[in-house]
Amino acid sequence: MNKTVFITGATSGFGRAAARRFAADGWTLALTGRRTERLEALREELSPLAPVHIATLDVRDAAAVKAVAAALPEGFRTLRTLVNNAGLALAPQPAQVVALEDWHTMIDTNVTGLVNVTHALLPALLATGRGASIINIGSISGQWPYPGNHVYGATKAFVKQFSFNLRCDLLGTGVRVTDIAPGMSETEFMLVRTKGDRAASDRLYHGTEPLTPEDIAEQIFYVANLPDNVNINRLEVMPTRQAWSAYAIDRD
Ligand code: NDP
Ligand code: 8X3
């Protein structure tokens, strides 16, 4: 069985943990992200376990995505699994005060980047057909609104709907599509969202038990290894110690 996985955003958080999880099972790994030195370190770490190809890639750059897909070496060209994980949130402040540039960056990464990669790698997944999977990392923020979620949550709502719509078009090809939607997870996510505010990131996770990168890597690995006749459409995963809140009401 072809067991090759292509992961975006493999330099940190869920993507790096997923790379380690697939490597532990001997999958062939194509790992991408913008930080080359982290990719090189991961290749060094995982090469004893599995074949590893790395490519420095900004998913926002459609031409670069196409070039990376075209340059996949022999042995990495037919994919069983694509993990569309690269993404970020910015600007946790209210919509009315945030910079337009931050909204653009989220849309360019989480929406345009994800479709760039999907479009470029669909032929490699279709070459596998039955048993192949596209696993898109959405978020609870694409389903449930909260203050400061504005464009970030909207990009993840796109991920959910794009995943469902892809399923319709790919029906009959054997290629499955899943939107994994995690809740609060301790990665570099909050550090990026606050542009480097370590104290704010630590405050968010302090005194509770967020999901870990390994928790989500395990879900990704589980979905990728389901029997060929099973498609989980959406998997929403929260920490036990996180839930929804009441409606907010503006009073005089
Ligand atoms: P991290 O910040 O730890 O990891 C994000 C990864 O995305 C990094 O590897 C980063 O690599 C990559 N990335 C960001 N922008 C780009 C880009 N333009 N091109 C290529 N790669 C990029 O956060 P998480 O692991 O938490 O985030 C992974 C995904 O999970 C994201 O889509 C996020 O929205 C989602 N998510 C996170 C949750 C959380 O609470 N942590 C919950 C729900 C969903 P590099 O900087 O090297 O390019
Ligand atoms: C990240 C989860 O709850 O911070 O996508 O929006 S949350």
Side-chain angles (χ1 to χ4, degrees), residues 8-16 32-36 38 57-60 84-89 109-110 137-140 152 156 180-190 192 205:
T8 65
T11 54
S12 173
F14 302 156
R16 184 166 57 190
T32 65
R34 289 168 301 176
R35 285 170 286 182
T36 308
R38 288 206 186 186
L57 178 64
D58 186 330
V59 294
R60 295 172 293 180
N84 268 321
N85 163 75
L88 81 176
T109 309
N110 303 351
I137 305 302
S139 166
I140 58 168
Y152 177 64
K156 294 301 187 177
I180 296 186
M184 182 176 63
S185 315
E186 188 165 3
T187 63
E188 292 177 11
F189 177 83
M190 192 59 180
V192 172
Y205 306 122

